[in-house]
Amino acid sequence: EIVGVLDHHRLGNSPTALPIPFVVDVVGSTSTLVAEHCITAEVTPPQGLAGMLLSGILSDTLTFRSPTATGRDKVAAEWLAEIAQIDMLAYGDELLHAAPGLGARTIQEILDTDRKTYTMGGHPISLAQVEATGFGSLPSRREEILAAMEEWRQREGLAFFGLMVTDVVTGTSRLLTRSEKWINAILPYTRLGEGEYDIEGMVSRKKQLVPALSALLDESR
């Protein structure tokens, strides 16, 4: 039973049996909304919980480098960092560098840990994102990942399956794709190889890649 919602994603929820508190706001992290509710209620979270909420903000906003980051995220993070007694920026960089490389993850982890499905231009689309500290291990996993993506695409009846591999250090991404041929043919990105594109400067699926793909496929209808 859902008793309340705090979120920062676009709406797409199932109906609830009864009215509930429902807050969706334009911030970089849901952890920011939780922290703001604590501040409003004059509740100070325990040190460990403050550290977890801080981790959520720093991870979601790539230590405020993501275009989804807002001033509210930074204010909430500074409040949490003081409670957790953590050097916010130093910890943020340490947190981003702690992400395991592609070589240490299973195909399931790479493709399904952070994956969302959309309808764009009337077509079923699935977009996954994985964060890494560099693209060094991508060539050795590329063919295996693409083969699995095509298998999943066929099984789920998708027109397009994309994997956004984001280098959290340099703030850029590569896009691996398996799709109907006509979609790959209209992608406006630099092609690096079969099913691989450079989408330099993109780090946010929600604010950068999804709107771009949605506009592209809507125009192709």
Side-chain angles (χ1 to χ4, degrees):
E1 180 186 357
I2 300 173
V3 297
V5 172
L6 288 177
D7 203 355
H8 71 133
H9 295 98
R10 69 175 191 168
L11 294 177
N13 53 288
S14 302
T16 58
L18 297 171
I20 60 171
F22 197 103
V23 176
V24 176
D25 212 338
V26 186
V27 291
S29 175
T30 299
S31 294
T32 297
L33 301 178
V34 176
E36 289 179 344
H37 273 61
C38 288
I39 293 171
T40 299
E42 298 183 350
V43 172
T44 301
Q47 183 176 0
L49 182 55
M52 292 179 66
L53 290 170
L54 175 63
S55 299
I57 295 174
L58 295 175
S59 177
D60 275 343
T61 65
L62 301 181
T63 314
F64 314 114
R65 297 170 190 156
S66 171
T68 61
T70 68
R72 288 168 60 187
D73 296 299
K74 193 164 188 179
V75 169
E78 288 171 345
W79 181 71
L80 293 166
E82 184 176 351
I83 297 170
Q85 299 179 19
I86 292 174
D87 183 320
M88 180 177 72
L89 296 180
Y91 173 61
D93 285 339
E94 182 181 351
L95 182 69
L96 295 181
H97 281 83
L102 294 180
R105 305 185 199 190
T106 66
I107 289 293
Q108 185 80 25
E109 290 170 334
I110 292 171
L111 296 182
D112 218 26
T113 296
D114 185 7
R115 182 164 74 104
K116 298 187 185 299
T117 301
Y118 311 86
T119 298
M120 299 181 184
H123 305 287
I125 305 295
S126 193
L127 291 174
Q129 184 171 21
V130 63
E131 295 176 354
T133 52
F135 301 122
S137 57
L138 181 56
S140 64
R141 301 295 305 275
R142 180 173 169 274
E143 295 306 318
E144 179 188 8
I145 292 171
L146 288 173
M149 289 174 66
E150 179 62 18
E151 180 184 339
W152 288 25
R153 186 183 80 82
Q154 295 285 349
R155 184 175 69 232
E156 298 179 14
L158 301 169
F160 181 93
F161 188 178
L163 171 65
M164 189 176 182
V165 182
T166 300
D167 181 350
V168 296
V169 177
T170 61
T172 190
S173 299
R174 302 279 176 84
L175 179 65
L176 299 184
T177 70
R178 295 284 82 180
S179 75
E180 296 177 1
K181 290 183 179 180
W182 69 271
I183 298 180
N184 272 348
I186 63 174
L187 291 177
Y189 308 119
T190 302
R191 186 175 180 272
L192 301 176
E194 175 62 29
E196 182 178 355
Y197 299 84
D198 183 0
I199 50 174
E200 185 176 358
M202 284 194 182
V203 295
S204 172
R205 174 181 52 196
K206 177 174 68 175
K207 200 163 186 176
Q208 294 174 305
L209 184 58
V210 167
L213 284 178
S214 183
L216 187 69
L217 293 177
D218 284 344
E219 290 173 2
S220 69
R221 298 182 72 169

